[in-house]
Amino acid sequence: MPESNAPAPPSLATGLLAGQRRALARAITLIESTRADHRQEAEALLAEVLPQTGRSVRLGISGVPGVGKSSFIETFGAALIAQGHKVAVLAIDPSSRRTGGSILGDKTRMEGLARDPRAFIRPSPTGGSLGGVARRTRESMLACEAAGFDVVIVETVGVGQSETAVADMVDLFLLLLLPSGGDELQGIKKGVVEIADLVVVNKADGDMAEAAARAAAEYQSALRMLRPVTQAWQVPVLRCSALTGTGVPEVWEAIGRYCDAIGEDGLAERRAAQAKAWLWSEIDDTLLARFRNHPAVAEALPAAERAVMAGEITPGLAAERLLQAFGIAPEES
Amino acid sequence: MPESNAPAPPSLATGLLAGQRRALARAITLIESTRADHRQEAEALLAEVLPQTGRSVRLGISGVPGVGKSSFIETFGAALIAQGHKVAVLAIDPSSRRTGGSILGDKTRMEGLARDPRAFIRPSPTGGSLGGVARRTRESMLACEAAGFDVVIVETVGVGQSETAVADMVDLFLLLLLPSGGDELQGIKKGVVEIADLVVVNKADGDMAEAAARAAAEYQSALRMLRPVTQAWQVPVLRCSALTGTGVPEVWEAIGRYCDAIGEDGLAERRAAQAKAWLWSEIDDTLLARFRNHPAVAEALPAAERAVMAGEITPGLAAERLLQAFGIAPEES
Ligand SMILES: Nc1nc2c(ncn2[C@@H]2O[C@H](COP(=O)(O)OP(=O)(O)O)[C@@H](O)[C@H]2O)c(=O)[nH]1
Ligand SMILES: Nc1nc2c(ncn2[C@@H]2O[C@H](COP(=O)(O)OP(=O)(O)O)[C@@H](O)[C@H]2O)c(=O)[nH]1
Ligand SMILES: [Mg+2]
Ligand SMILES: [Mg+2]
């Protein structure tokens, strides 16, 4: 690690707090960098602006490819901007590589937002584990808030456990569904419907309007059946058309009702729990990475995993041996 | 750690493989012990009998208190024994203390099984984290298999993440539901319905028969709506009465159909993935325990968690400082 040449350029924090888009873009580039000196600068920057964060509505949006996430965000974002909001859009897609991931390719579907000074769109950080991508997105969210964006949307295309990662960093997780229901759900992973705070059937227009109404009613009764009722909030199923805009303002209204329902204390509680979970996932990720990269562990691991999967050795014994290779002796548990 | 006085008493492995109940009880006591020398003996024992394990149907059963888990296992177990099976029942309840947990108290509802030499009932290991309880239950499951039990039932009352822990160690996860549906589901946690391989509405008798039929139909359509369709298996919703026995044989038949549907390869794949996940959760649990118990970490942790939860410091920076206290310097990620 280089000598502590740490503190962020003062201009960057100032620019960020002044809401300069270039400062925000540079801050996120710093946050996304894997260079140790950049990480230190990023941390110093975040520490400095932290008191000016937390004042946005943090929304997660997910749904299968083609459901209309980009189109929805374009229409929804335009409506919010018209009401005076500033909207930032970030993406989580651990599969995205140098191409810049899905959002960049989707910028054509978010042309209005992409051009608007009151909006800020940033593709997923490229590469890395979900844990790494999630951390950088969380930190970028703070940077957006420091720059005065009061609605931050985190979009995910649903790779690996990314929906859970997104739900764990936002105030409200919105799931977009197709009007056709049932079979179309094949792309949605187990448990995702159950973490949604709000379900919206998109493409409720033209030929599909009727199917969308039916699907929404069916989803609503299915959710009533399968979702535990929390005191504060019963997950509603809405319909909208990202294409025509019908129903889109109602989504924002429902988000308002949700915020009222859980209240300031509920929100503070959710965010405190998320921050604590984030702390532990950072710790956990680092410990596991160190373990995996330890030379003796790295050498023994493939054979150990194979033997465990073939049932030739108990996982307990294999774990103990690998931990010994890492330098950790067994102790009374 | 004491000198290696490790190898298990030869009589124990022999007795276990001969199917002696006393040997099984002693083996599980060894598995549950936290003494380092006992752990070593247990590991040696499991290593020895491992080739004789894996030949049972591993069932997980969950449901809210009062749904009829104990009654169902009594009736279901009796039917299996009558067909020539040997049935072991283990429990996961990380909240259980020296009392021996719920199953012991429930032995009155499993009187028949408790007395039958072809059945073996063991309460949850007392105390410890879910990770610890789960590991001991998994190892006890292997011991039951070595002793010739060909149906092993792991019951959980659903504390913390215990349903997921159980689903991750069995071939089929069965969720028992009450006939009344909807509101009654308050006790069932998010995501639990979605990990079930089989759903059974219990108490489908007398006054409740009609409600049970309605509930089963509603659950079935809700599951069709919300559950992704896997090629091999569409989760069925059955009805039964643990009291009268009606519908109980059909549950066993459905389990047979499930095993046929996923096939030997599917089962081997599921078990291999579970063994690998078990390996990693053991490693993870141990690394985190070492971290937490490190004197410098233990001292700094409470204040760090508080500051993170209050939003005074980013989780990333707090994690880095704690990891430094643990002796891990930051590196390029
Ligand atoms: N009819 C209709 N088509 C839509 C709607 N929203 C999106 N689409 C279309 O669905 C396709 C996928 O949309 P896109 O926003 O790229 O989906 P994403 O993959 O979830 O980001 C495009 O052809 C859109 O024009 C809608 O509300 N109604
Ligand atoms: N009517 C009826 N009552 C049942 C049935 N199964 C269990 N019960 C009753 O429900 C209560 C709870 O049963 P128990 O097996 O202890 O549930 P557990 O807490 O899930 O283990 C007891 O009073 C049982 O007699 C059933 O199939 N029909
Ligand atoms: Mg898109
Ligand atoms: Mg019971």
Side-chain angles (χ1 to χ4, degrees):
Chain A
M1 208 172 56
E3 293 282 282
S4 166
N5 56 353
S11 58
L12 191 50
T14 311
L16 191 59
L17 293 174
Q20 289 168 13
R21 296 168 54 86
R22 278 200 52 224
L24 176 56
R26 275 185 58 216
I28 295 183
T29 301
L30 211 51
I31 286 167
E32 291 179 353
S33 170
T34 55
R35 265 175 55 185
D37 57 332
H38 286 169
R39 292 250 8 101
Q40 276 195 298
E41 279 184 53
E43 267 162 15
L45 176 67
L46 288 172
E48 196 174 336
V49 303
L50 198 58
Q52 308 305 324
T53 65
R55 297 199 199 107
S56 80
V57 179
R58 301 169 178 174
L59 301 180
I61 294 190
S62 190
V64 296
V67 70
K69 293 179 295 300
S70 303
S71 310
F72 175 80
I73 292 170
E74 165 81 359
T75 307
F76 182 68
L80 293 183
I81 282 171
Q83 287 178 36
H85 294 287
K86 288 182 69 186
V87 179
V89 183
L90 306 171
I92 286 219
D93 175 3
S95 70
S96 81
R97 289 279 168 248
R98 318 238 148 220
T99 65
S102 61
I103 274 202
L104 204 63
D106 281 359
K107 272 205 172 174
T108 45
R109 293 238 160 69
M110 298 195 272
E111 261 183 70
L113 277 194
R115 272 196 315 257
D116 199 298
R118 293 159 297 177
F120 179 85
I121 300 184
R122 181 84 176 198
S124 183
T126 52
S129 66
L130 174 58
V133 171
R135 186 196 69 212
R136 285 173 272 163
T137 304
R138 283 196 199 93
E139 291 184 351
S140 297
M141 187 166 72
L142 297 179
C144 293
E145 291 178 342
F149 289 88
D150 68 340
V151 179
V152 182
I153 297 175
V154 182
E155 183 202 320
T156 182
V157 288
V159 178
Q161 295 292 309
S162 69
E163 294 98 338
T164 310
V166 170
D168 285 349
M169 69 176 72
V170 298
D171 301 330
L172 178 144
F173 183 73
L174 186 166
L175 180 65
L176 282 183
L177 293 176
L178 289 165
S180 27
D183 293 352
E184 303 290 339
L185 270 176
Q186 297 200 24
I188 294 189
K189 283 171 301 180
K190 273 191 194 179
V192 170
V193 175
E194 302 219 5
I195 59 174
D197 301 300
L198 185 56
V199 172
V200 179
V201 177
N202 188 36
K203 307 198 182 182
D205 51 41
D207 282 355
M208 287 177 284
E210 235 176 87
R214 243 187 347 261
E218 280 168 10
Y219 283 124
Q220 186 71 75
S221 77
L223 278 170
R224 269 206 204 96
M225 215 44 209
L226 295 186
R227 275 282 303 244
V229 182
T230 62
Q231 295 102 325
W233 183 246
Q234 171 71 46
V235 178
V237 180
L238 307 178
R239 275 171 288 161
C240 81
S241 167
L243 208 62
T244 67
T246 314
V248 173
E250 285 79 0
V251 173
W252 182 243
E253 283 165 27
I255 292 168
R257 280 199 304 280
Y258 170 83
C259 293
D260 290 345
I262 69 164
E264 269 185 47
D265 289 354
L267 185 62
E269 236 171 72
R270 179 167 175 155
R271 287 184 175 184
Q274 287 174 339
K276 187 176 165 186
W278 173 7
L279 170 69
W280 282 105
S281 82
E282 292 250 347
I283 290 168
D284 203 22
D285 287 354
T286 307
L287 290 175
L288 278 173
R290 286 309 166 104
F291 177 81
R292 279 179 185 282
N293 294 335
H294 186 283
V297 173
E299 201 193 308
L301 197 49
E305 277 191 335
R306 259 198 311 277
V308 159
M309 291 177 76
E312 290 157 13
I313 180 175
T314 61
L317 190 54
E320 194 187 307
R321 288 190 186 153
L322 290 167
L323 287 160
Q324 261 162 351
F326 186 57
I328 285 186
E331 65 181 7
E332 320 245 321
S333 66
Chain B
M1 207 174 58
E3 294 282 281
S4 165
N5 55 353
S11 58
L12 192 48
T14 311
L16 191 58
L17 293 174
Q20 289 168 12
R21 295 168 56 87
R22 280 200 52 222
L24 176 56
R26 278 183 57 214
I28 295 182
T29 302
L30 211 52
I31 286 166
E32 291 179 352
S33 171
T34 55
R35 266 177 53 186
D37 57 333
H38 286 169
R39 291 249 10 99
Q40 277 196 296
E41 278 183 54
E43 268 161 12
L45 176 67
L46 288 172
E48 197 175 335
V49 303
L50 197 59
Q52 308 303 324
T53 66
R55 298 201 198 105
S56 80
V57 180
R58 300 170 177 173
L59 301 179
I61 294 190
S62 189
V64 297
V67 70
K69 293 179 294 302
S70 304
S71 310
F72 175 79
I73 292 170
E74 165 81 358
T75 306
F76 182 67
L80 294 182
I81 282 172
Q83 287 178 34
H85 293 288
K86 288 182 69 184
V87 179
V89 182
L90 306 170
I92 288 220
D93 176 3
S95 70
S96 80
R97 289 280 168 251
R98 318 241 147 217
T99 64
S102 60
I103 274 203
L104 203 65
D106 280 359
K107 274 205 172 174
T108 46
R109 293 239 161 69
M110 298 195 271
E111 262 184 66
L113 277 193
R115 272 198 313 257
D116 198 299
R118 292 159 297 178
F120 179 85
I121 301 184
R122 182 83 175 199
S124 184
T126 52
S129 66
L130 175 57
V133 171
R135 187 196 66 210
R136 286 173 270 161
T137 304
R138 283 195 199 96
E139 292 184 349
S140 298
M141 188 166 72
L142 298 178
C144 292
E145 292 178 341
F149 289 89
D150 67 339
V151 180
V152 181
I153 297 174
V154 182
E155 183 202 319
T156 182
V157 290
V159 179
Q161 295 292 311
S162 68
E163 293 97 340
T164 309
V166 169
D168 286 348
M169 69 176 73
V170 297
D171 302 327
L172 178 144
F173 183 72
L174 187 166
L175 180 65
L176 282 183
L177 294 175
L178 289 165
S180 24
D183 294 353
E184 304 288 339
L185 269 177
Q186 296 199 24
I188 294 190
K189 285 171 298 179
K190 272 190 196 179
V192 170
V193 175
E194 302 219 6
I195 58 172
D197 302 298
L198 184 56
V199 172
V200 178
V201 178
N202 188 35
K203 306 198 183 182
D205 51 40
D207 282 356
M208 288 176 284
E210 235 176 86
R214 243 187 347 261
E218 280 167 12
Y219 283 123
Q220 185 72 74
S221 76
L223 277 170
R224 266 202 208 101
M225 214 45 209
L226 295 187
R227 274 282 304 244
V229 182
T230 62
Q231 296 104 322
W233 183 245
Q234 171 72 46
V235 178
V237 180
L238 307 179
R239 276 171 286 160
C240 80
S241 167
L243 208 61
T244 67
T246 313
V248 172
E250 285 79 1
V251 174
W252 182 243
E253 284 165 25
I255 292 168
R257 280 198 303 279
Y258 170 83
C259 292
D260 290 346
I262 69 164
E264 268 186 48
D265 288 355
L267 185 62
E269 235 172 72
R270 178 166 176 157
R271 287 185 175 183
Q274 287 174 338
K276 187 175 166 187
W278 174 8
L279 170 69
W280 281 104
S281 82
E282 292 250 348
I283 290 168
D284 204 22
D285 287 354
T286 307
L287 291 174
L288 278 172
R290 287 308 167 104
F291 177 81
R292 280 179 185 279
N293 293 336
H294 186 281
V297 173
E299 201 192 308
L301 196 49
E305 277 192 336
R306 259 197 314 278
V308 160
M309 290 176 76
E312 290 157 15
I313 179 173
T314 60
L317 191 53
E320 193 186 309
R321 288 190 186 152
L322 289 168
L323 286 160
Q324 260 161 351
F326 186 58
I328 284 186
E331 65 181 7
E332 319 246 323
S333 66

